[in-house]
Amino acid sequence: MVTDMKHKKNMPGDVILLLLMLATIVIFVIPLYLAVLTAFKSKPELSRSVLALPEGLYLENFREGMRRSDFFHSLRNSVLVTFPSVILIVLCASMSGYSVARHAQKTAALQLLDKVYLASLMIPFQILMIPVYRIYKALNLLNSLPGMVLMLTGTSIAYASFLYVGFVKSIPREIEESAYMDGCSEMKTFWIITFPLLKPVSATVAALHVMWLWNDFNISIILLQKEMVRTITVKQFYFFGQYTAEYGLAFAAAIVSMIPVIVCFAFMQKYIVNGIAAGAVKS
């Protein structure tokens, strides 16, 4: 009886929560729905109605969109920029997060580093755009894929380290101390003992940054200005000119470019929520 009364009291809250969830789903699904409709419409159909279903599957948008964006070459550039950056982020942030988690209480420099990481998360890249451009121009790193990898890695280390710090604190120190007793150095202990235990948060960091870096536009548009080094996101920008906009071609190319990220997310999604939740718990 008491359970039924509690359930009846919670019903209004459950209904509100359900409505909020449905509203959120609609907000996220509508842009994707419009993108798919636009990709399969010809120009006359787009001029008549944006919301109406296409009369047929106009596949010419995909062929022409991929041709104009030099799709496979820009895909290669995106791969060469994204995946090396993610590997470097995982390696550097795991060591950084481990150092902060284990030694920040004893070392003032690491305490300061932890605070610098947190502070840097609040700085938007737009503030750094002009200094970054000038520095890269002075170092001859503009229009360089390795230079782009360096910038993407540098701008991502802070958040990734923040996730690693929380996760490392959840690992018992006794596991590492037993390795020290067996004669392992701290570096060897980290790579042999600790790093394999960081697999959940490493998968989370990798999955999140594959999505973020693949879709990066702000850094790419500044550092990759030559045709041969532009990534997919930058190529799509040029479908929109001063006087014309090729919406059908742009959305068709965008849908094709989403496929690698969707595949990656499908394999890694089970790690994302668990890794973020575990990384947010600090002892």
Side-chain angles (χ1 to χ4, degrees):
M1 186 70 177
V2 175
T3 304
D4 292 340
M5 292 178 64
K6 289 183 178 180
H7 181 69
K8 290 180 179 179
K9 290 181 179 180
N10 292 332
M11 282 186 65
D14 293 339
V15 172
I16 293 173
L17 180 61
L18 179 61
L19 292 176
L20 290 174
M21 290 174 62
L22 291 175
T24 303
I25 292 172
V26 170
I27 290 172
F28 280 95
V29 168
I30 285 179
L32 182 61
Y33 171 75
L34 293 176
V36 173
L37 286 186
T38 305
F40 286 103
K41 286 182 179 181
S42 62
K43 285 185 178 181
E45 289 179 292
L46 282 173
S47 63
R48 287 195 297 268
S49 174
V50 176
L51 299 176
L53 293 173
E55 298 175 358
L57 298 180
Y58 188 71
L59 300 179
E60 182 66 18
N61 284 337
F62 290 88
R63 188 190 69 81
E64 185 64 16
M66 293 175 68
R67 185 189 68 80
R68 289 199 193 180
S69 63
D70 195 7
F71 179 78
F72 291 105
H73 185 78
S74 57
L75 175 67
R76 167 185 169 275
N77 291 338
S78 291
V79 169
L80 292 177
V81 162
T82 300
F83 291 100
S85 299
V86 170
I87 293 172
L88 287 175
I89 289 166
V90 170
L91 295 177
C92 296
S94 61
M95 291 187 287
S96 172
Y98 175 82
S99 299
V100 171
R102 289 293 188 245
H103 303 296
Q105 295 179 350
K106 302 177 183 178
T107 308
L110 290 176
Q111 291 180 3
L112 177 62
L113 180 63
D114 192 23
K115 291 180 174 61
V116 169
Y117 280 157
L118 292 176
S120 66
L121 295 176
M122 306 174 190
I123 302 175
F125 179 74
Q126 287 77 1
I127 296 177
L128 307 175
M129 287 168 62
I130 296 176
V132 164
Y133 179 82
R134 289 182 174 177
I135 292 172
Y136 265 59
K137 186 176 182 180
L139 297 175
N140 293 321
L141 289 175
L142 288 178
N143 301 306
S144 166
L145 294 182
M148 183 67 179
V149 169
L150 182 63
M151 178 55 61
L152 290 177
T153 302
T155 54
S156 304
I157 288 292
Y159 179 70
S161 297
F162 175 75
L163 292 179
Y164 274 108
V165 168
F167 197 90
V168 170
K169 286 184 177 180
S170 67
I171 298 176
R173 289 178 179 265
E174 290 75 12
I175 297 176
E176 298 162 10
E177 291 172 354
S178 62
Y180 298 151
M181 294 178 63
D182 290 336
C184 288
S185 64
E186 186 172 12
M187 181 64 72
K188 187 176 182 181
T189 299
F190 172 75
W191 290 113
I192 295 178
I193 305 297
T194 308
F195 187 74
L197 298 176
L198 299 177
K199 181 180 177 181
V201 70
S202 295
T204 300
V205 168
L208 290 175
H209 283 84
V210 164
M211 291 186 289
W212 292 341
L213 302 188
W214 186 272
N215 294 319
D216 173 77
F217 179 77
N218 289 331
I219 301 177
S220 301
I221 195 67
I222 295 172
L223 301 184
L224 304 177
Q225 299 176 355
K226 288 186 178 180
E227 186 74 20
M228 293 300 295
V229 293
R230 288 173 182 166
T231 57
I232 286 179
T233 51
V234 178
K235 286 281 190 177
Q236 291 171 1
F237 172 72
Y238 290 96
F239 284 114
F240 302 95
Q242 183 176 1
Y243 301 107
T244 60
E246 300 283 357
Y247 290 106
L249 303 183
F251 282 111
I255 288 173
V256 175
S257 68
M258 286 191 297
I259 294 175
V261 178
I262 292 174
V263 171
C264 179
F265 181 81
F267 283 103
M268 305 292 286
Q269 62 176 331
K270 65 179 180 180
Y271 296 106
I272 294 178
V273 175
N274 293 335
I276 292 177
V281 177
K282 294 190 175 183
S283 58

